[in-house]
Amino acid sequence: MQGLTTCPVCQGAFGRCRERATPRDASAFDCDGCGAFEISRTALVTWFEPNRHRLTALQRSALSHALRTASRGTSPLMITTDWMERFLPSARLPTPATQVANLIAHVGDVMAETGEGCFLDDVVDTPLVGAFNRTMFDALLKEVRERGLVTAVGKASVPNPRDVGVLQGTLFGLSLEGWERYEAEKRGKFAGRYGFIAMKFGDAVLDPFVETVVKPAIRDAIGFDLVDLRNVSRAGVIDNILRAQIRDAAFVLVDLTHDNAGAYWEAGYAEGLGKPVIYLCEQSKFDAAKTHFDTNHCTTVMWSAAEPAPFVEALVATARRSLNLFPDMVAAGH
């Protein structure tokens, strides 16, 4: 049984929210905008207790976007205290260019699936594309229409998912240029300003090394965020999200220290899309057994937790070469 409540994440900014039963030690929600998700009891008290205001408006919008994206998977995302601690340091919304790509992808996906125009509902679609609020979503849509990427194809009335009656509005489709952008984005030809790292999770050495050395090195040297799947998802919702994260990344780091089959798969997917792929491996492991013969001839940056400085220097230089970046360009924000 579901009862109406105020969404603890968007605080009602994106429609109505229903609280539902769950067998876990958590609270489960189904928000019109944020989608379906769960929050552990500890995280609910720590981060979402009413009137504590621990999260900024921007962090809440970024979290709504992450939840809406994850809700397309096979099971709800579970927010825990550990997840929040990983998410918040890099919590930000997609860039305007990425929001445009998300909007075009959404309209194109609906048209490809139904053959009809897409009815845009800013309550639901604001967190889907990653806009800050509904006003910013409407401004984004206006800009995309003025650029001729999205065009009106008719009017429609649809059942109101949040109340009685109907919603009346415009059906949207893609122009020829919009379809070209859509197809190019599907092939990974557009890249966001972030990198993706594929790795084995739960290792007592690798996990802190990535968080305290690898991610800050990339951010400080070339101005790119570096995300892993834990920043956006969890087991059970990974398939489409994983592909989208790699597809939209500017580059991919792949750690092969543990011969992780998933990391090898992600590397192959990224290589197939033509993404720059940089391989990493712990020095003593590579010295003893190298990596699989299909990759051991590829550029591999060795790391040692005991001596991170040489690794950081080599990683930054390799990333700059892979992205055709140079220090003066990075400093200028190019």
Side-chain angles (χ1 to χ4, degrees), residues 41-253:
R41 300 293 183 188
T42 302
L44 190 64
V45 171
T46 303
W47 297 102
F48 301 100
E49 189 174 282
N51 303 318
R52 293 193 68 176
H53 303 294
R54 293 202 61 180
L55 301 178
T56 67
L58 180 60
Q59 288 172 330
R60 289 184 181 277
S61 293
L63 182 53
S64 293
H65 173 60
L67 292 174
R68 187 76 219 178
T69 303
S71 70
R72 291 176 150 187
T74 57
S75 63
L77 188 150
M78 169 71 80
I79 298 176
T80 65
T81 52
D82 288 343
W83 192 94
M84 287 294 292
E85 288 168 0
R86 288 193 302 269
F87 176 80
L88 288 177
S90 58
R92 53 179 56 85
L93 291 167
T95 65
T98 302
Q99 292 177 36
V100 169
N102 292 342
L103 179 58
I104 290 173
H106 174 51
V107 175
D109 286 346
V110 170
M111 294 192 71
E113 180 179 346
T114 67
E116 300 176 344
C118 175
F119 187 93
L120 293 175
D121 180 351
D122 60 1
V123 169
V124 176
D125 297 328
T126 295
L128 179 63
V129 305
F132 176 67
N133 55 30
R134 293 161 65 183
T135 299
M136 296 301 293
F137 174 83
D138 292 340
L140 180 74
L141 176 59
K142 180 174 182 291
E143 179 76 14
V144 171
R145 293 185 68 182
E146 289 175 351
R147 293 191 178 196
L149 298 172
V150 171
T151 182
V153 296
K155 297 289 185 179
S157 296
V158 300
N160 188 340
R162 294 172 293 279
D163 208 340
V164 297
V166 298
L167 298 178
Q168 295 183 338
T170 302
L171 288 175
F172 290 97
L174 299 181
S175 66
L176 180 58
E177 183 179 356
W179 278 115
E180 291 173 347
R181 285 280 301 269
Y182 174 83
E183 294 295 337
E185 198 273 339
K186 288 294 183 183
R187 296 192 299 270
K189 301 304 181 183
F190 290 96
R193 196 164 181 83
Y194 72 90
F196 182 83
I197 181 166
M199 55 183 282
K200 179 185 184 299
F201 299 135
D203 183 84
V205 177
L206 180 59
D207 275 359
F209 186 78
V210 167
E211 293 297 327
T212 62
V213 177
V214 183
K215 290 184 178 182
I218 293 295
R219 183 175 59 248
D220 295 344
I222 63 175
F224 282 68
D225 290 323
L226 185 64
V227 302
D228 60 59
L229 197 57
R230 294 171 300 184
N231 298 125
V232 294
S233 182
R234 69 174 176 91
V237 297
I238 66 172
D239 294 343
N240 292 332
I241 298 170
L242 173 62
R243 290 179 174 87
Q245 289 295 310
I246 295 175
R247 183 195 66 213
D248 296 340
F251 63 96
V252 176
L253 302 185

Side-chain angles (χ1 to χ4, degrees), residues 223-293:
F224 282 68
D225 290 323
L226 185 64
V227 302
D228 60 59
L229 197 57
R230 294 171 300 184
N231 298 125
V232 294
S233 182
R234 69 174 176 91
V237 297
I238 66 172
D239 294 343
N240 292 332
I241 298 170
L242 173 62
R243 290 179 174 87
Q245 289 295 310
I246 295 175
R247 183 195 66 213
D248 296 340
F251 63 96
V252 176
L253 302 185
V254 181
D255 185 83
L256 301 178
T257 302
H258 302 90
D259 294 316
N260 181 266
Y264 274 106
W265 185 93
E266 291 158 47
Y269 185 69
E271 294 269 15
L273 290 173
K275 297 290 181 180
V277 178
I278 303 170
Y279 294 93
L280 313 177
C281 189
E282 199 276 328
Q283 181 74 61
S284 63
K285 190 275 179 190
F286 192 86
D287 291 343
K290 292 190 167 49
T291 57
H292 191 275
F293 68 87

